[in-house]
Amino acid sequence: MRIGELAEKAGTTTRALRYYESLGLLPARRTSNGYRTYGDEDLRLLRQIQVLRDFGFELEETRPFVECLRAGHPEGDSCPDSLAVYRRKVEELDALIGQLQGVRAQVGAQLARAERARDALVADAAVPGGPEPRCELGTERGSHGRTA
Amino acid sequence: MRIGELAEKAGTTTRALRYYESLGLLPARRTSNGYRTYGDEDLRLLRQIQVLRDFGFELEETRPFVECLRAGHPEGDSCPDSLAVYRRKVEELDALIGQLQGVRAQVGAQLARAERARDALVADAAVPGGPEPRCELGTERGSHGRTA
DNA sequence: ACTGGCCTTGACGTCGGCGTCAACGTCTAC
DNA sequence: GTAGACGTTGACGCCGACGTCAAGGCCAGT
């Protein structure tokens, strides 16, 4: 299988595959004319990379998994290094989620506050004498009732 | 106030301030010798930028807030454009948090599965005859007890 | 006069993960 | 033999928010 075919099977581009090879992540054998050649095994490695990248792993973080597979283990996460990456990632995710939830709460609060302030101003504008005038200190005569 | 002083007061760098100016986000007046000059008002604008950036806003997203302040409004979020950014950001955050929680669950599940698989293998290794050997089919004589 | 500390503009470097040429080689089909 | 579809390496571009020089101007203190 050549690079174009592998890329198509995996739903990626030849550029990505060449990039992975430049990182030593997915090395390829070569035919006599210099073309890269891949086997089904390489497709497995590539899929492992893609799954983790879809999770948001950096390419370097997928390396232990790929090397684990290349070492002949049944799964990419059958090795201690892979498990360590999993654990680190879970911690990172928990920290990040917590942080984002904090930000979310703060932004939500700011939004609510700003909207209340705006509504107060709008209400003021609707009642030209100010918001809910309590008592009339002006001239005795004139409108004694509130506006509607 | 010159650029170094403003940077120090706000806990940032002159480089960042010049960058903001290049974006038109925080323009500065100039003295006769070409030095940038800032007032307390600029410090307010800068603090507004920093608060939002700490929230993870991109610089461009802080622009409505800064322009709102420069327009004389009491708060950076006293303008409709700012509120729109808030709302968009809340949506983004909710979506992102949800996505990360999904990833977190999947990675956590993979980790748990991989650890179970590993423990099973370790258990197998500890019991050379296989995991919990049901019946001895080997030679009749010899060690009849388990290892320790 | 000279040192040292501030300021100026300009321009390149960083990080990750590729996209997008350019210029060229290889193989198949007609 | 020639077009067209593949392949190759090399190199620059992109995104955002600056960091980090480099080369020089301005100003205060001694």
Side-chain angles (χ1 to χ4, degrees), chain A residues 53 70 93 104 108 126 146:
Chain A
R53 266 209 53 73
R70 257 209 303 275
L93 284 167
R104 200 288 182 204
R146 311 250 177 76

Side-chain angles (χ1 to χ4, degrees), chain B residues 4 18 30 34 36:
Chain B
R18 278 188 268 259
R30 301 298 182 115
R36 289 173 178 83

Side-chain angles (χ1 to χ4, degrees), chain A:
Chain A
M1 176 169 35
R2 291 185 302 183
I3 193 170
E5 191 180 349
L6 177 61
E8 196 179 5
K9 276 187 183 174
T12 182
T13 67
T14 61
R15 181 66 182 95
L17 299 183
R18 278 189 269 259
Y19 180 58
Y20 297 163
E21 181 174 12
S22 79
L23 297 179
L25 206 53
L26 191 65
R29 279 146 294 158
R30 301 295 183 117
T31 61
S32 56
N33 58 12
Y35 285 15
R36 289 173 179 81
T37 304
Y38 301 90
D40 290 344
E41 174 66 12
D42 294 311
L43 183 55
R44 279 199 70 204
L45 302 189
L46 179 52
R47 289 204 198 283
Q48 174 73 77
I49 293 173
Q50 291 182 312
V51 167
L52 296 178
R53 266 209 53 73
D54 288 348
F55 280 167
F57 285 47
E58 292 181 6
L59 284 177
E60 277 309 319
E61 293 175 323
T62 72
R63 192 182 295 275
F65 296 81
V66 177
E67 287 185 351
C68 189
L69 278 177
R70 257 209 303 275
H73 294 277
E75 303 289 338
D77 52 18
S78 301
C79 301
D81 285 358
S82 307
L83 294 184
V85 173
Y86 270 160
R87 289 192 202 97
R88 201 158 46 76
K89 213 63 188 175
V90 166
E91 287 180 15
E92 280 180 28
L93 284 167
D94 285 343
L96 180 57
I97 290 169
Q99 189 183 337
L100 288 178
Q101 284 172 336
V103 170
R104 200 288 182 204
Q106 291 194 68
V107 175
Q110 288 294 311
L111 174 58
R113 186 194 47 68
E115 280 180 333
R116 277 200 312 274
R118 179 203 56 185
D119 291 346
L121 283 180
V122 168
D124 285 11
V127 183
E132 294 297 317
R134 304 298 161 84
C135 46
E136 289 94 38
L137 295 176
T139 57
E140 223 165 297
R141 61 168 174 78
S143 58
H144 41 286
R146 311 250 177 76
T147 338

Side-chain angles (χ1 to χ4, degrees), chain B:
Chain B
M1 179 167 34
R2 291 185 303 183
I3 194 172
E5 192 181 347
L6 177 60
E8 196 180 4
K9 276 186 182 173
T12 182
T13 67
T14 62
R15 181 66 181 95
L17 299 184
R18 278 188 268 259
Y19 181 58
Y20 297 163
E21 182 173 10
S22 79
L23 298 179
L25 205 54
L26 190 65
R29 278 148 295 158
R30 301 298 182 115
T31 62
S32 56
N33 58 14
Y35 285 13
R36 289 173 178 83
T37 304
Y38 301 89
D40 289 345
E41 173 65 14
D42 295 311
L43 181 55
R44 279 198 71 202
L45 302 189
L46 180 51
R47 289 204 200 283
Q48 174 73 78
I49 294 172
Q50 291 182 310
V51 167
L52 296 178
R53 266 211 52 73
D54 288 348
F55 281 166
F57 285 46
E58 293 181 6
L59 283 177
E60 277 309 320
E61 293 175 323
T62 72
R63 192 182 295 274
F65 296 81
V66 177
E67 288 185 349
C68 188
L69 278 177
R70 259 210 302 275
H73 294 277
E75 303 290 337
D77 51 20
S78 301
C79 302
D81 286 356
S82 306
L83 293 185
V85 173
Y86 271 159
R87 290 193 201 95
R88 200 159 44 76
K89 213 63 188 176
V90 165
E91 285 180 18
E92 280 180 28
L93 283 167
D94 285 343
L96 180 57
I97 289 169
Q99 190 183 336
L100 288 178
Q101 283 172 336
V103 170
R104 200 286 182 207
Q106 291 194 69
V107 174
Q110 288 294 311
L111 174 57
R113 187 195 46 68
E115 280 180 333
R116 276 200 312 274
R118 179 203 55 186
D119 292 346
L121 284 181
V122 167
D124 283 10
V127 183
E132 294 298 318
R134 304 300 162 82
C135 47
E136 288 93 43
L137 296 177
T139 57
E140 225 164 295
R141 61 165 175 83
S143 58
H144 41 287
R146 313 251 177 73
T147 338

